[in-house]
């Protein structure tokens, strides 16, 4: 029995031991600390710490953690000054942490706490922690997981953890085995030979997983030095990998529905293995099944192999081939469908017993979007099928509704439906009915303004209507009503003739309701600072601010609090006030000024690098540095807001002259005069200028009579001159009078104003003219002699100069958001030609969408308004929109064209001019253009007729020596429309162009097909529809008056 | 991640698989249901049109495995591994699921003529759809003899002995919230267009191949078909991100009809392909980046105090494939309006789903704890906090208007509630100014509404 030590002795021994341990620990700590304070001590630290047992190491963790945190916080050192390098003590700190931490602690410290892989391996091999598997899983979960693959693999290989059951363990090998940036140093073959165990399992798992991001076999083989494909082929040749298994694995991978780019590697690899005929025969079923793959290139590859196997006699089961190929007929890829049709043709010829099955399967291709594919499919059916087979007949009838007009016609003929006769009969009845009851008569038009009727070309159309009623071939009207002379005796549908200044523009439906009180003002301000697209509401809010800014309730600070706070935040982070960007920033500025009540001023200063900077004073305690914009129209709009800002701080109730009364920026002249008559303080010049640019042409005569201002000044005279008053003395402010001249006659030179300011280099009073040419990109050349920059108060001149090629301004200066473009569009609604020119510049130079400019589409939007005239720039912009690649742009252009043909702004004459530019410039993709024109033509017979006649009339501009690409599509489009409405190409010049096209290309084939159309067409119904639509416009204009 | 997903362990007794036996193939869908359910399968039958059903299931999975919108800070690798939910009602099977971004909801309704067999039970479960399963579905031919068994089949159990396949499913919270929201949106939808399947195919094929996720497009009628327009007009259905409809293109080839629905409040759209024996529904959120989970359409129902009709309607739920509201009104002596309100509330609790084609609710119980949903609504939580912290004050009350002052961060927001008005509620906060009521009420309005309800009920 052992002798027991007395309790006091035990205690003493324990304390002594503890003291010894503490001393020992302290010594260790000191040693460690010494090592941690030096660089390149990783090996020494490992030696020191791994010599301890696990519990001793763990005790040192707090010291290591503290040291790591301090070092990590200071991980970049500046030595010498200006050069930053990583702290050399960081690596020893990481090593120390890794030697002492458990898994939870490591996770807390983050992924960057891990030392270099060789140290990790050394430490883990010694420590053999239970958490090694979890650590590997954590590495695999990280972003660039493949960079840790070698470490994970080594840990698995050395038996420190199990093989992780995670796809990333396998896919990480794709990049991880060789590593990035190792071109020329090593490759996959060399690495696989170093670790042959990988060939047992890991290598086969690569065929089961797609990979992620750029870590895929397809990507790595393309861009890195690995050459996985070559390595596997070599190993198969050497007999180290089973060739048969590789072939099977590739086909199985293709079944998994990988992305097309990634799937390509697998079928290319299959081909690289060069399978023999017996090998292919063995796998023929699997290959045939791949034709149903959702990945188009896999299906195409499978089809090509099927074709090869069929030719080589490896597959003889025709029924199997038909069933397997069927899914391809429903695809979008034209080439594949055509190839399948060719194969089917060969099969049906070789084995007539399968002809019925083939024809039934082929009907699927009738739903293809391309008429030539539909034609080929139907040709095959015609050749091998019989219309007496009920099932085939039923299938064909199902597709009749969606095939192109030319194919539908062939179908009807084949099925024995005498469609033409029925149609002709129906047409004749309809024509007779239409003839007996003309919708509108000349006497109906007499009740309205004759000039308006002439603008809508109604007398001409009625003349044409009476002519086409009596005869199929129209003849020019002898009673002086012509208008179709451009079409070689063919009745055209001319476009309306108005420039927008002579018709009433104020739509009562679009009248704006002014803000009714403080509550509504706060609510509207809150909304408009969140959305810069609400231009009409923004203008209402600004108008409301000017009218109600003095009516501050007792709890004003509380009420304004939320939007003031938001305005401050937005101004500082998102929308800088008064910097010509959008309404949001400027209205934020107004809210801040209103709340603070301090005057706001703008100042341009030079910074330390001698660059100009705009400083806004009064919004915040410190001057606010706003974006420095060159003078552009948006800056003018912001300048006006800045002027309004100073009205708010004066606490004087007044009325804005430039606040729109109707949507789109329009101001009713009579309401403007009322505002002027009630005005007690003179308005800022920017307000007057904008008011003049926004005033509508309606009722200006009566407005001048009502004008009885209490105030006097040059601006009153300018306004009078702008509204049309005569003999007004021209004043001194060029900016005011430039606006007055544009207000008076937007598209005419104002001689008096021009003469008055002839000494200035600003061409005040002169109207802008454009010269559009399409070369590499659209360019606008302004008339010569104009300066390249204009002061901020000349918005119209600035818009104009903006597009001079020599100008330093770019379209970016007029806004890069939808909201800014909408705001700009509201600046001068009476003449949007300059605005449209800006649109041509933006859309025309981005037709193929090389730049994602989502806002550009907004340039097209004003053209939707049926009162916006389609003048030169408008037409060209519409053409650009139709030829654009981006669905939003072309979709809107198609909507506009449909609308414009309906309301008469687009007729056979101006559409012809538009298309002449399209066909002759070489700038536009004719294939796209043809598709859009076809889309427009499907709307109604009127649209189809206008499109067809305009297109055929524009054809002679085509350069026959070098036919433009896509002309075949234009001819096909004409064939389709012609067949649909029963009209042939009638113009002799167009027919001779078609005859002159020789060869066997698509254009030549389509031209021949187009020439084959033989119809006699009477455009009576189209003209009647046009008359009806335009009569509605006439009634609307009359109602507005 | 704790906010983004709820980790749950689903123990599937076997993996879903397509087995081939002598007579044909058996499609076995492994399922999971919570609780002590000794008979975890409730349906077994043979598919009449196996190829079509397989195609529909693959399309559903295409939606479920897609992420149409990837927020900038989100990596693709966090794609939720979510499994569709299947419901067996009296005469039909419903498979439903969301895309990973929660912006698309898809559902297959297999009607009673789609299969031969009868349900041995009714219920809702999760279905395990794995890659081999999808590959097997792809190989199903129209002439194949395929049986559908929902639940672990005995044969499979025997073969796999006692093997339990454990699958950790991170059931995204966004999914749970989406299931709740989408019912409210669907119940408001009205049919706008109806066209033949062949015209639908033509329309889907005419859609642009470029991504349109930054644009809102409108779908309008043209002749017998549909066309895209950029202009908002009467009877135009708004669609954001047309690429989300591509899943319908291959299916429309054999469809009889396509019906397009629209929700005027949010701009969400519903697309239903009708086949002789089944239907495929796709519900699109108004914009690609807007998942149904964040729409907030169900907030008001979630916040509302329990109506007297609610327990009665809930008690009447008996796994009906269509809940007949008139019948319910007669049996329970309730008015239709209160039944509608109760069903809407039950929809937000995952107890009923809405069938667009039938324009009626159906009973199903979600295989997750729906009571969690309310706790996961940040706006609702914030609204309740505003009330609990006494941060809401009724300033003025008239017959038709309530005006509240609600404390914000350093400011005081003014909330006006005007029941029956064109804009029934307004707030001065930036959220409301930005979205209005299109994405549900803001927390301040919600707090005010709760306060009004509480004052009415006296709680």
């Amino acid at each position: 029995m052992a002798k027991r030590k007395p309790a006091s002795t035990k205690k003493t021994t324990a304390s002594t031991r503890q003291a010894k341990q503490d001393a020992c620990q302290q010594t260790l700590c000191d040693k460690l600390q010494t090592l941690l304070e030096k660089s390149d001590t990783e090996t020494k630290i490992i030696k020191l710490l791994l010599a301890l047992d696990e519990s001793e190491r763990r005790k040192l963790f707090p010291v290591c953690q503290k040291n790591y945190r301090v070092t990590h916080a200071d991980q970049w050192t500046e030595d010498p000054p200006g050069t930053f390098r990583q702290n050399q003590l960081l690596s020893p700190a990481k090593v120390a942490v890794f030697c002492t931490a458990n898994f939870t602690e490591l996770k807390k410290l983050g992924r960057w706490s891990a030392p270099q892989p060789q140290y990790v391996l050394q430490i883990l091999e010694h420590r053999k922690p239970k958490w090694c598997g979890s650590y590997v899983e954590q590495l695999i979960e990280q972003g660039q997981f493949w960079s840790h693959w070698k470490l994970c693999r080594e840990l698995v290989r050395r038996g420190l953890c199990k093989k992780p059951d995670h796809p990333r363990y396998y896919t990480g090998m794709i990049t991880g085995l060789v590593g990035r940036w190792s071109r020329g140093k090593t490759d996959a073959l060399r690495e696989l030979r170093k670790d042959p165990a990988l060939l047992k399992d890991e290598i086969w798992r690569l065929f089961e997983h797609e990979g992620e991001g750029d870590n895929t076999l397809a990507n790595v083989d393309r861009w890195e030095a690995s050459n996985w494909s070559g390595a596997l082929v070599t190993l198969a040749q050497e007999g180290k990998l089973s060739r048969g298994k590789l072939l099977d694995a590739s086909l199985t991978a293709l079944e998994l529905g990988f992305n097309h780019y990634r799937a390509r590697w697998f079928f290319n690899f299959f081909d690289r293995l060069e399978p023999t005929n017996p090998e292919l025969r063995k796998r023929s079923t699997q290959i045939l099944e791949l034709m149903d793959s959702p990945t188009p290139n896999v299906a195409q590859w499978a089809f090509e192999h099927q074709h090869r196997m069929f030719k080589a006699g490896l597959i003889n089961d025709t029924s199997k081939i038909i069933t397997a190929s069927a899914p391809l007929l429903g695809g979008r890829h034209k080439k594949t469908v055509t190839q399948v049709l060719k194969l089917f043709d060969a099969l049906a010829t070789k084995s007539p017993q399968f002809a019925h099955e083939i024809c039934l399967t082929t009907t699927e291709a009738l739903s293809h979007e391309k008429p030539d594919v539909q034609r080929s499919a139907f040709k095959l059916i015609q050749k091998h099928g019989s219309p007496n087979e009920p099932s085939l007949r039923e299938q064909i009838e199902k597709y009749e509704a969606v095939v192109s007009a030319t194919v539908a016609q062939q179908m009807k003929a084949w099925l024995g439906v005498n469609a033409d006769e029925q149609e002709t009969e129906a047409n004749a009845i309809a024509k007779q009915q239409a003839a007996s009851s003309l919708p509108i008569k000349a006497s109906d038009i007499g009740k309205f303004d004759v000039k308006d009727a002439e603008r809508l070309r109604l007398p001409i159309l009625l003349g044409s209507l009476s002519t086409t009623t009596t005869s199929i071939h129209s003849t020019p009207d002898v009673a002086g009503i012509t208008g179709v002379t451009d079409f070689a005796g063919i009745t055209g549908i001319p476009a309306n003739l108005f420039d927008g200044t002579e018709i009433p523009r104020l739509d009562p439906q679009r009248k704006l309701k002014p803000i009714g009180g403080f509550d509504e003002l706060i609510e509207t301000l809150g909304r408009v600072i969140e959305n810069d697209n609400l231009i009409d509401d923004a203008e209402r809010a600004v108008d409301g601010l000017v009218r109600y800014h003095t009516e501050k309730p007792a709890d004003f600070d509380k009420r304004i609090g939320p939007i003031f706070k938001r305005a401050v935040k937005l101004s500082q982070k998102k929308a800088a006030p008064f910097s010509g960007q959008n309404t949001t920033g400027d209205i934020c500025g107004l809210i801040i000024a209103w709340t603070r009540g301090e005057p706001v001023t703008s100042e341009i200063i030079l910074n330390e690098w001698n660059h100009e900077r705009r400083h806004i004073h009064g919004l915040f305690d410190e001057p606010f540095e706003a974006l420095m914009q060159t003078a552009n129209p948006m800056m003018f709009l912001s300048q006006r807001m800045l002027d309004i800002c100073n009205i708010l701080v004066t606490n004087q109730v007044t009325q804005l002259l430039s606040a729109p009364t109707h949507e789109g920026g329009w101001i009713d002249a009579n309401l403007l005069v009322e505002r002027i008559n009630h005005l007690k303080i003179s308005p800022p010049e920017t307000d007057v200028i904008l008011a003049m640019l926004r005033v509508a042409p309606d009722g200006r005569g009566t407005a001048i009579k009502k004008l009885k201002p209490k105030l006097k000044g040059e601006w009153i005279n300018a306004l009078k001159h702008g509204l049309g008053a005569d003999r007004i003395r021209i004043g001194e402010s060029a900016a005011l009078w430039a606006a007055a001249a544009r207000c008076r006659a937007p598209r005419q030179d104002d001689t008096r104003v021009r003469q008055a300011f002839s000494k200035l280099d600003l061409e005040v009073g002169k109207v802008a003219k454009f010269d559009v040419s399409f070369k590499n990109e659209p360019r606008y050349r302004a008339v010569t002699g104009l300066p390249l920059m204009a002061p901020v108060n000349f918005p119209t001149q600035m818009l104009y100069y903006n597009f001079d090629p020599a100008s330093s301004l770019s379209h970016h200066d007029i806004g890069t958001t939808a909201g800014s473009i909408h705001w700009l569009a509201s600046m001068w609604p009476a003449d949007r030609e300059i605005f449209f020119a800006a649109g041509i510049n933006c859309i025309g130079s981005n037709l193929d969408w090389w730049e994602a400019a989502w806002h550009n589409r907004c340039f097209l939007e004003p053209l939707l308004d049926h009162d916006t005239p389609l003048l030169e720039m408008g037409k060209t912009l519409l053409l650009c929109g139709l030829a654009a690649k981006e669905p939003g742009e072309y979709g809107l252009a198609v909507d506009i064209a449909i609308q414009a043909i309906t309301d008469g702004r687009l007729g056979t004459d101006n559409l012809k001019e538009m298309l002449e530019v399209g066909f002759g410039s070489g700038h536009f993709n004719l294939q796209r253009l043809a598709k859009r024109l076809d889309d427009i033509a499907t709307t109604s017979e009127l649209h189809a007729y206008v499109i067809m006649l305009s297109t055929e009339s524009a054809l002679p501009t085509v350069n026959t020596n070098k036919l433009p690409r896509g002309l075949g599509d234009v001819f096909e489009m004409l064939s389709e429309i012609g067949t649909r409405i029963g009209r042939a190409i009638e113009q002799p010049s167009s027919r001779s162009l078609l005859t002159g096209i020789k060869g066997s290309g698509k254009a030549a084939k389509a031209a021949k097909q187009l020439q084959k159309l033989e119809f006699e067409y009477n455009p009576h119904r189209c003209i009647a529809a046009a008359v009806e639509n335009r009569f509605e416009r006439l009634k609307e204009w009359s109602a507005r008056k | 991640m704790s906010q983004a997903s709820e980790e749950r362990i689903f123990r599937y007794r076997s993996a879903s698989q397509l087995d081939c036996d002598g007579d044909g193939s058996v499609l076995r869908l492994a399922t999971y249901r919570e609780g002590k359910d000794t008979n975890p399968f409730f349906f077994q039958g043979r598919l009449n049109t196996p190829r079509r059903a397989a195609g529909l299931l693959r399309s559903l999975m295409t939606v479920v495995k897609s992420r149409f919108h990837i927020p900038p800070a989100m990596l693709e690798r966090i794609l939720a591994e979510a499994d569709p939910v299947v419901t067996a009602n009296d005469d039909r099977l419903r498979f439903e699921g969301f895309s990973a971004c929660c912006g698309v909801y898809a559902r297959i309704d297999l009607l009673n003529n789609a299969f031969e067999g009868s349900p041995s039970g009714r219920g809702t479960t999760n279905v395990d759809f794995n890659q081999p399963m999808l590959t097997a579905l792809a190989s199903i031919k129209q002439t194949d003899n395929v049986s559908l068994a929902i639940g672990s089949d005995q044969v499979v159990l025997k073969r796999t002995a006692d093997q339990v396949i454990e699958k950790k499913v991170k059931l995204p919270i966004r999914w749970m919230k989406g299931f709740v929201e989408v019912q409210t949106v669907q119940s408001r939808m009205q049919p706008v267009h109806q066209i033949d399947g062949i015209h639908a195919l033509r329309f889907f094929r005419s859609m642009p191949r470029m991504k349109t996720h930054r644009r809102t497009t409108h779908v309008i009628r043209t002749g017998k078909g549909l066309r895209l327009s950029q202009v908002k007009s009467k009877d135009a259905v708004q669609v954001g991100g047309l690429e989300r409809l591509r899943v319908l293109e291959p299916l429309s080839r054999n469809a009889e009809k396509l019906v397009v629905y629209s929700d005027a409040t949010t701009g969400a759209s519903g697309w239903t392909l009708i086949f002789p024996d089944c239907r495929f529904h796709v519900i699109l959120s108004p914009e690609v980046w807007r998942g149904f989970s964040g729409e907030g359409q169900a907030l008001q129902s979630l916040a509302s105090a329990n109506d007297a009709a609610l327990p009665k309607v809930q008690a009447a739920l008996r796994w009906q494939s269509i809940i007949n509201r008139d019948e319910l009104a007669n049996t329970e002596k309730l008015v239709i309006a209160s039944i509608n309100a109760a069903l809407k509330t039950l929809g937000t609790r995952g107890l009923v789903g809405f069938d667009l084609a039938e324009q009626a609710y159906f009973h199903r119980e979600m295989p997750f704890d729906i009571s969690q949903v309310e706790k996961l609504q940040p706006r609702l939580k914030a609204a309740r906090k505003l009330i609990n912290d006494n941060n809401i004050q009724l300033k003025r009350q008239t017959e038709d208007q309530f005006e509240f002052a609600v404390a914000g961060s350093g400011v005081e927001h003014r909330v006006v509630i005007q029941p029956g008005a064109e804009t029934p509620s307004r707030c001065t906060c930036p959220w409301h100014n930005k979205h209005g009521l299109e994405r549900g009420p803001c927390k301040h309005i919600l707090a005010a509404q709760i306060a009004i309800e509480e004052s009415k009920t006296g709680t």
Side-chain angles (χ1 to χ4, degrees), chain B residues 221-370:
Chain B
R221 189 78 195 234
T222 175
K224 289 179 180 174
L226 299 174
R227 83 167 179 89
L228 299 175
S229 169
Q230 297 295 314
V231 185
K232 194 176 180 179
S233 59
K234 197 182 163 233
D235 289 345
V237 176
Q238 182 191 320
V239 185
L242 287 168
E243 58 273 17
R244 298 186 292 173
L245 285 175
R246 275 194 201 130
V247 69
L248 295 177
E249 188 188 319
L251 298 176
S252 60
R253 196 175 296 148
N254 298 313
E256 284 183 341
K257 288 206 179 309
L258 167 75
V259 188
V260 189
Y261 301 83
S262 174
D263 172 28
T265 311
T266 58
S269 61
W271 301 72
T272 301
L273 280 176
I274 299 174
F275 301 90
D277 54 359
C278 50
R279 299 184 197 118
F280 189 79
H281 308 270
V282 167
I283 312 294
L284 302 184
S285 64
E287 309 281 356
V288 178
W289 57 88
R290 280 167 67 175
F292 281 107
S293 51
E295 284 294 284
Q297 298 302 321
L299 283 173
Q300 216 161 329
S301 299
L302 283 167
S304 66
N306 285 354
D307 187 70
L310 191 66
K312 284 186 179 177
V313 176
Q314 189 169 351
L317 296 177
R318 287 180 196 91
W319 294 100
Q320 298 95 321
S321 57
I322 298 164
I323 297 171
N324 188 328
R325 280 172 272 196
D326 294 332
E327 205 178 282
L328 206 60
N330 282 334
T331 52
E332 302 295 331
K333 310 282 180 233
L334 293 167
V335 290
I336 293 284
S338 60
I339 289 178
N340 281 339
L343 285 170
K344 206 173 168 183
T345 310
L346 290 171
T348 62
R349 294 174 188 182
L351 293 176
V352 292
F354 193 83
D355 189 332
L356 266 183
E358 304 282 359
Q359 287 287 303
Y361 285 92
F362 60 91
H363 180 204
R364 61 119 158 74
E365 286 177 9
M366 279 292 162
F368 48 74
D369 185 5
I370 205 74

Side-chain angles (χ1 to χ4, degrees), chain B residues 58-68 79-85 96-101 104 106 175:
Chain B
R58 278 175 65 83
S59 299
L60 177 77
M61 287 313 293
T62 306
V63 172
V64 169
K65 288 183 178 293
S66 299
R67 179 181 285 276
F68 296 99
L79 268 175
E81 287 179 20
D83 290 339
V85 170
E96 50 191 322
F98 278 96
S99 61
C101 56
V104 183
W175 256 56

